[in-house]
Amino acid sequence: MRADNDADRDALIEATASAFRERDASGRIVPSPAWRDLAPEDREAAFDHQIAARHVERALDPDGLSATARAVLLRARRLTQLVRGEQE
Amino acid sequence: MVVTSPSAIDLAFERARRGDPEGFADWVRAGELPLRRSLRPFTRRVDVEAIVQEGLLRMWDLAPRIDLQGRDASLRYAARLVRNLALKEIERGARLDPIPPGDDDVVIQPDRPPDSGLRRIIMDCFSRLPRKPREALLARVSDGGDNPDRDLAASLGMRLNTFLQNIVRARRHLASCLESHGVPPREYLS
């Protein structure tokens, strides 16, 4: 998706605010496709937008966690269970 | 000899080192935003969200194996870690822009405890959002980064672009509501 107008640009920036990230075959977290489509100056806007989004998420989450924190903690728990499963 | 008492983030990291997920959650709560801000010089060249997540996960993985000394040492260690991840990512992209100057003596502070007043205002403003923007933003917030937007949009019977436009609208309403409560955008961008 490329930004042809302000609405597309805003939607692209919003897409980068999601904490969901794909992984490659090695398990590495890969950049958002929306981020790749942004112009350099819009990437700066996306950075500030992500910070604002995390503040809102923390305010709305009962545990005060951002979506980034929740995504990481979920992944960490899954990895730990995987390691324990392999050890048993 | 100066002996410093451990900070809250040091204590959280010690619990994470012993494999306590709640200790790690406390550590992430205090460390995520400072680490994210520390990556500002790389904003144009790396997806900071991906780097932050990778760095936080590596801290969980490394925690039992690293012994750090000094106040906020785990946060400083993590700041170096995410910086190196960002540099590696730039290398991977083989871009020709100069790399930002080195910063071996990392100055980084744990996040301050959440402002309960600001939190209350954000919750109040959220409750006043129009229905569709609120549903879209709530779906994103509740999901916690576990699913892509296209799946969240489908669960609400929206097209992806409509879903994103609804979140954009939600954020505009929120920003306007926060400002009407005397909260300028820089308060929640800092």
Side-chain angles (χ1 to χ4, degrees), chain B residues 137-178:
Chain B
L137 183 56
L138 183 62
R140 175 74 88 57
V141 170
S142 307
D143 181 66
D146 199 29
N147 291 287
D149 281 344
R150 62 176 174 274
D151 291 357
L152 302 179
S155 73
L156 294 173
M158 293 179 191
R159 288 171 42 235
L160 175 60
N161 201 45
T162 308
F163 175 78
L164 291 171
Q165 301 286 1
N166 270 311
I167 301 183
V168 170
R169 281 178 59 206
R171 294 204 196 280
R172 284 198 185 124
H173 278 285
L174 270 181
S176 156
C177 178
L178 286 167

Short mmCIF file of all heavy atoms in Angstrom, two decimals, chain B residues 137-178:
data_model
loop_
_atom_site.label_atom_id
_atom_site.label_comp_id
_atom_site.label_asym_id
_atom_site.label_seq_id
_atom_site.Cartn_x
_atom_site.Cartn_y
_atom_site.Cartn_z
N LEU B 137 -10.43 0.81 17.65
CA LEU B 137 -9.29 1.04 18.55
C LEU B 137 -9.28 0.00 19.68
O LEU B 137 -8.22 -0.52 20.05
CB LEU B 137 -9.33 2.46 19.12
CG LEU B 137 -8.15 2.85 20.01
CD1 LEU B 137 -6.80 2.68 19.29
CD2 LEU B 137 -8.28 4.30 20.48
N LEU B 138 -10.46 -0.33 20.19
CA LEU B 138 -10.54 -1.32 21.26
C LEU B 138 -10.03 -2.69 20.78
O LEU B 138 -9.33 -3.39 21.50
CB LEU B 138 -11.98 -1.44 21.78
CG LEU B 138 -12.19 -2.40 22.95
CD1 LEU B 138 -11.39 -1.94 24.17
CD2 LEU B 138 -13.67 -2.49 23.32
N ALA B 139 -10.38 -3.04 19.53
CA ALA B 139 -9.92 -4.32 18.98
C ALA B 139 -8.40 -4.34 18.94
O ALA B 139 -7.76 -5.33 19.34
CB ALA B 139 -10.49 -4.53 17.58
N ARG B 140 -7.80 -3.24 18.51
CA ARG B 140 -6.34 -3.14 18.42
C ARG B 140 -5.72 -3.24 19.82
O ARG B 140 -4.78 -3.98 20.06
CB ARG B 140 -6.00 -1.83 17.75
CG ARG B 140 -4.55 -1.44 17.65
CD ARG B 140 -3.74 -2.19 16.64
NE ARG B 140 -3.68 -1.70 15.29
CZ ARG B 140 -3.28 -0.52 14.88
NH1 ARG B 140 -2.94 0.41 15.74
NH2 ARG B 140 -3.20 -0.24 13.60
N VAL B 141 -6.28 -2.47 20.77
CA VAL B 141 -5.71 -2.41 22.12
C VAL B 141 -5.88 -3.76 22.83
O VAL B 141 -4.95 -4.27 23.46
CB VAL B 141 -6.38 -1.29 22.94
CG1 VAL B 141 -6.00 -1.37 24.40
CG2 VAL B 141 -6.00 0.07 22.38
N SER B 142 -7.06 -4.37 22.69
CA SER B 142 -7.33 -5.63 23.40
C SER B 142 -6.47 -6.76 22.87
O SER B 142 -6.13 -7.69 23.60
CB SER B 142 -8.79 -6.05 23.24
OG SER B 142 -9.64 -5.01 23.61
N ASP B 143 -6.16 -6.70 21.59
CA ASP B 143 -5.41 -7.80 20.97
C ASP B 143 -3.97 -7.90 21.46
O ASP B 143 -3.40 -8.99 21.50
CB ASP B 143 -5.44 -7.64 19.45
CG ASP B 143 -4.72 -8.77 18.76
OD1 ASP B 143 -5.23 -9.91 18.85
OD2 ASP B 143 -3.65 -8.53 18.16
N GLY B 144 -3.39 -6.77 21.83
CA GLY B 144 -2.03 -6.79 22.35
C GLY B 144 -1.00 -7.29 21.35
O GLY B 144 -0.04 -7.96 21.73
N GLY B 145 -1.17 -6.96 20.07
CA GLY B 145 -0.16 -7.28 19.08
C GLY B 145 -0.06 -8.74 18.71
O GLY B 145 0.93 -9.19 18.15
N ASP B 146 -1.12 -9.51 18.98
CA ASP B 146 -1.07 -10.95 18.70
C ASP B 146 -1.54 -11.28 17.28
O ASP B 146 -1.23 -12.34 16.77
CB ASP B 146 -1.92 -11.69 19.74
CG ASP B 146 -1.56 -13.17 19.82
OD1 ASP B 146 -0.39 -13.50 19.55
OD2 ASP B 146 -2.44 -13.98 20.14
N ASN B 147 -2.33 -10.39 16.69
CA ASN B 147 -2.91 -10.67 15.37
C ASN B 147 -2.75 -9.47 14.45
O ASN B 147 -2.76 -8.33 14.91
CB ASN B 147 -4.41 -10.99 15.50
CG ASN B 147 -4.64 -12.32 16.20
OD1 ASN B 147 -4.41 -13.38 15.63
ND2 ASN B 147 -5.07 -12.26 17.45
N PRO B 148 -2.66 -9.76 13.13
CA PRO B 148 -2.53 -8.63 12.19
C PRO B 148 -3.84 -7.85 12.08
O PRO B 148 -4.92 -8.40 12.32
CB PRO B 148 -2.19 -9.32 10.86
CG PRO B 148 -2.66 -10.73 11.00
CD PRO B 148 -2.60 -11.06 12.47
N ASP B 149 -3.71 -6.59 11.66
CA ASP B 149 -4.89 -5.73 11.53
C ASP B 149 -5.94 -6.33 10.60
O ASP B 149 -7.13 -6.14 10.83
CB ASP B 149 -4.47 -4.35 11.00
CG ASP B 149 -3.87 -3.47 12.09
OD1 ASP B 149 -4.05 -3.79 13.28
OD2 ASP B 149 -3.25 -2.46 11.74
N ARG B 150 -5.51 -7.03 9.55
CA ARG B 150 -6.51 -7.56 8.60
C ARG B 150 -7.45 -8.53 9.31
O ARG B 150 -8.64 -8.59 9.02
CB ARG B 150 -5.85 -8.19 7.37
CG ARG B 150 -4.96 -9.38 7.67
CD ARG B 150 -4.40 -10.03 6.38
NE ARG B 150 -3.44 -11.06 6.75
CZ ARG B 150 -2.15 -10.85 6.99
NH1 ARG B 150 -1.66 -9.63 6.88
NH2 ARG B 150 -1.36 -11.84 7.34
N ASP B 151 -6.91 -9.31 10.29
CA ASP B 151 -7.76 -10.25 11.04
C ASP B 151 -8.68 -9.51 12.00
O ASP B 151 -9.84 -9.88 12.18
CB ASP B 151 -6.89 -11.25 11.82
CG ASP B 151 -6.14 -12.20 10.91
OD1 ASP B 151 -6.34 -12.11 9.68
OD2 ASP B 151 -5.35 -13.03 11.41
N LEU B 152 -8.15 -8.47 12.63
CA LEU B 152 -8.97 -7.68 13.56
C LEU B 152 -10.10 -6.99 12.78
O LEU B 152 -11.25 -6.95 13.23
CB LEU B 152 -8.12 -6.63 14.29
CG LEU B 152 -6.93 -7.16 15.10
CD1 LEU B 152 -6.17 -5.99 15.73
CD2 LEU B 152 -7.40 -8.13 16.17
N ALA B 153 -9.75 -6.46 11.59
CA ALA B 153 -10.76 -5.80 10.75
C ALA B 153 -11.85 -6.80 10.37
O ALA B 153 -13.04 -6.50 10.48
CB ALA B 153 -10.10 -5.23 9.50
N ALA B 154 -11.43 -8.00 9.95
CA ALA B 154 -12.40 -9.02 9.54
C ALA B 154 -13.32 -9.39 10.70
O ALA B 154 -14.53 -9.59 10.51
CB ALA B 154 -11.67 -10.26 9.03
N SER B 155 -12.78 -9.44 11.92
CA SER B 155 -13.59 -9.82 13.08
C SER B 155 -14.68 -8.76 13.36
O SER B 155 -15.68 -9.06 13.99
CB SER B 155 -12.71 -10.02 14.31
OG SER B 155 -12.27 -8.76 14.79
N LEU B 156 -14.44 -7.53 12.85
CA LEU B 156 -15.44 -6.46 13.04
C LEU B 156 -16.27 -6.24 11.77
O LEU B 156 -17.09 -5.31 11.72
CB LEU B 156 -14.73 -5.15 13.40
CG LEU B 156 -14.00 -5.11 14.74
CD1 LEU B 156 -13.21 -3.81 14.88
CD2 LEU B 156 -14.98 -5.25 15.90
N GLY B 157 -16.03 -7.09 10.77
CA GLY B 157 -16.76 -6.95 9.51
C GLY B 157 -16.37 -5.69 8.75
O GLY B 157 -17.17 -5.12 8.01
N MET B 158 -15.11 -5.26 8.92
CA MET B 158 -14.64 -4.06 8.22
C MET B 158 -13.56 -4.45 7.22
O MET B 158 -12.85 -5.43 7.41
CB MET B 158 -14.00 -3.06 9.20
CG MET B 158 -14.94 -2.43 10.18
SD MET B 158 -14.02 -1.29 11.28
CE MET B 158 -15.25 -0.96 12.54
N ARG B 159 -13.42 -3.63 6.18
CA ARG B 159 -12.25 -3.78 5.30
C ARG B 159 -11.05 -3.20 6.04
O ARG B 159 -11.21 -2.34 6.92
CB ARG B 159 -12.49 -3.04 3.98
CG ARG B 159 -13.52 -3.75 3.10
CD ARG B 159 -13.93 -2.92 1.89
NE ARG B 159 -12.80 -2.26 1.24
CZ ARG B 159 -12.73 -0.95 1.02
NH1 ARG B 159 -13.72 -0.16 1.39
NH2 ARG B 159 -11.68 -0.42 0.42
N LEU B 160 -9.85 -3.67 5.67
CA LEU B 160 -8.65 -3.22 6.38
C LEU B 160 -8.53 -1.70 6.37
O LEU B 160 -8.28 -1.08 7.41
CB LEU B 160 -7.39 -3.86 5.76
CG LEU B 160 -6.06 -3.37 6.33
CD1 LEU B 160 -5.96 -3.65 7.82
CD2 LEU B 160 -4.89 -4.02 5.58
N ASN B 161 -8.74 -1.09 5.19
CA ASN B 161 -8.57 0.36 5.12
C ASN B 161 -9.61 1.09 5.98
O ASN B 161 -9.29 2.09 6.62
CB ASN B 161 -8.63 0.84 3.66
CG ASN B 161 -7.96 2.19 3.51
OD1 ASN B 161 -6.87 2.40 4.04
ND2 ASN B 161 -8.63 3.10 2.84
N THR B 162 -10.83 0.55 6.01
CA THR B 162 -11.89 1.17 6.84
C THR B 162 -11.50 1.07 8.32
O THR B 162 -11.68 2.01 9.10
CB THR B 162 -13.23 0.43 6.62
OG1 THR B 162 -13.48 0.38 5.22
CG2 THR B 162 -14.37 1.12 7.33
N PHE B 163 -10.97 -0.10 8.70
CA PHE B 163 -10.52 -0.33 10.07
C PHE B 163 -9.45 0.72 10.46
O PHE B 163 -9.55 1.38 11.51
CB PHE B 163 -9.95 -1.75 10.17
CG PHE B 163 -9.34 -2.12 11.49
CD1 PHE B 163 -10.14 -2.46 12.58
CD2 PHE B 163 -7.96 -2.16 11.65
CE1 PHE B 163 -9.58 -2.82 13.79
CE2 PHE B 163 -7.39 -2.52 12.86
CZ PHE B 163 -8.21 -2.85 13.93
N LEU B 164 -8.46 0.88 9.57
CA LEU B 164 -7.38 1.83 9.86
C LEU B 164 -7.92 3.27 9.92
O LEU B 164 -7.53 4.04 10.80
CB LEU B 164 -6.27 1.72 8.81
CG LEU B 164 -5.47 0.41 8.86
CD1 LEU B 164 -4.55 0.28 7.64
CD2 LEU B 164 -4.65 0.31 10.14
N GLN B 165 -8.82 3.60 8.98
CA GLN B 165 -9.38 4.96 8.99
C GLN B 165 -10.17 5.20 10.28
O GLN B 165 -10.17 6.31 10.82
CB GLN B 165 -10.31 5.18 7.78
CG GLN B 165 -9.65 4.99 6.42
CD GLN B 165 -8.72 6.14 6.04
OE1 GLN B 165 -8.54 7.08 6.80
NE2 GLN B 165 -8.10 6.04 4.87
N ASN B 166 -10.83 4.16 10.78
CA ASN B 166 -11.57 4.31 12.04
C ASN B 166 -10.62 4.56 13.21
O ASN B 166 -10.94 5.35 14.11
CB ASN B 166 -12.42 3.06 12.30
CG ASN B 166 -13.81 3.20 11.70
OD1 ASN B 166 -14.49 4.21 11.91
ND2 ASN B 166 -14.24 2.20 10.94
N ILE B 167 -9.48 3.88 13.20
CA ILE B 167 -8.52 4.13 14.29
C ILE B 167 -7.94 5.54 14.18
O ILE B 167 -7.77 6.23 15.19
CB ILE B 167 -7.39 3.06 14.33
CG1 ILE B 167 -7.99 1.67 14.51
CG2 ILE B 167 -6.43 3.35 15.48
CD1 ILE B 167 -6.96 0.57 14.62
N VAL B 168 -7.68 5.96 12.95
CA VAL B 168 -7.20 7.34 12.75
C VAL B 168 -8.22 8.33 13.32
O VAL B 168 -7.86 9.27 14.05
CB VAL B 168 -6.94 7.62 11.24
CG1 VAL B 168 -6.69 9.11 11.01
CG2 VAL B 168 -5.75 6.81 10.73
N ARG B 169 -9.48 8.08 13.02
CA ARG B 169 -10.54 8.97 13.55
C ARG B 169 -10.56 8.92 15.08
O ARG B 169 -10.69 9.95 15.75
CB ARG B 169 -11.91 8.54 13.01
CG ARG B 169 -12.18 9.01 11.59
CD ARG B 169 -13.53 8.51 11.09
NE ARG B 169 -14.65 8.96 11.91
CZ ARG B 169 -15.82 8.31 12.02
NH1 ARG B 169 -16.00 7.17 11.38
NH2 ARG B 169 -16.78 8.80 12.76
N ALA B 170 -10.44 7.71 15.62
CA ALA B 170 -10.45 7.54 17.08
C ALA B 170 -9.33 8.36 17.71
O ALA B 170 -9.54 9.06 18.70
CB ALA B 170 -10.30 6.07 17.43
N ARG B 171 -8.15 8.30 17.12
CA ARG B 171 -7.01 9.02 17.70
C ARG B 171 -7.21 10.54 17.61
O ARG B 171 -6.79 11.28 18.50
CB ARG B 171 -5.70 8.61 17.02
CG ARG B 171 -5.34 7.15 17.29
CD ARG B 171 -3.86 6.92 17.15
NE ARG B 171 -3.56 5.51 17.04
CZ ARG B 171 -3.49 4.66 18.08
NH1 ARG B 171 -3.69 5.10 19.29
NH2 ARG B 171 -3.20 3.39 17.88
N ARG B 172 -7.83 10.98 16.51
CA ARG B 172 -8.09 12.43 16.38
C ARG B 172 -9.06 12.88 17.47
O ARG B 172 -8.87 13.92 18.10
CB ARG B 172 -8.65 12.75 15.00
CG ARG B 172 -7.56 12.70 13.96
CD ARG B 172 -7.96 13.42 12.67
NE ARG B 172 -6.90 13.21 11.70
CZ ARG B 172 -7.07 12.67 10.50
NH1 ARG B 172 -8.27 12.34 10.08
NH2 ARG B 172 -6.05 12.51 9.70
N HIS B 173 -10.12 12.08 17.66
CA HIS B 173 -11.09 12.41 18.72
C HIS B 173 -10.39 12.41 20.08
O HIS B 173 -10.62 13.31 20.90
CB HIS B 173 -12.22 11.37 18.75
CG HIS B 173 -13.30 11.61 17.74
ND1 HIS B 173 -14.25 12.60 17.87
CD2 HIS B 173 -13.58 10.99 16.57
CE1 HIS B 173 -15.07 12.57 16.82
NE2 HIS B 173 -14.69 11.60 16.02
N LEU B 174 -9.55 11.40 20.31
CA LEU B 174 -8.84 11.32 21.60
C LEU B 174 -7.96 12.54 21.82
O LEU B 174 -7.97 13.14 22.90
CB LEU B 174 -7.95 10.08 21.63
CG LEU B 174 -8.53 8.76 22.15
CD1 LEU B 174 -7.46 7.68 22.13
CD2 LEU B 174 -9.06 8.92 23.58
N ALA B 175 -7.19 12.90 20.77
CA ALA B 175 -6.28 14.04 20.89
C ALA B 175 -7.06 15.31 21.20
O ALA B 175 -6.68 16.10 22.08
CB ALA B 175 -5.47 14.21 19.60
N SER B 176 -8.19 15.47 20.51
CA SER B 176 -8.99 16.67 20.72
C SER B 176 -9.60 16.69 22.13
O SER B 176 -9.60 17.71 22.81
CB SER B 176 -10.06 16.69 19.61
OG SER B 176 -11.14 17.43 19.98
N CYS B 177 -10.06 15.51 22.57
CA CYS B 177 -10.64 15.40 23.92
C CYS B 177 -9.56 15.67 24.98
O CYS B 177 -9.80 16.40 25.95
CB CYS B 177 -11.24 14.00 24.09
SG CYS B 177 -11.94 13.71 25.72
N LEU B 178 -8.36 15.10 24.77
CA LEU B 178 -7.27 15.31 25.74
C LEU B 178 -6.92 16.79 25.83
O LEU B 178 -6.72 17.33 26.92
CB LEU B 178 -6.04 14.49 25.35
CG LEU B 178 -6.17 12.98 25.59
CD1 LEU B 178 -5.05 12.21 24.90
CD2 LEU B 178 -6.14 12.68 27.09
#
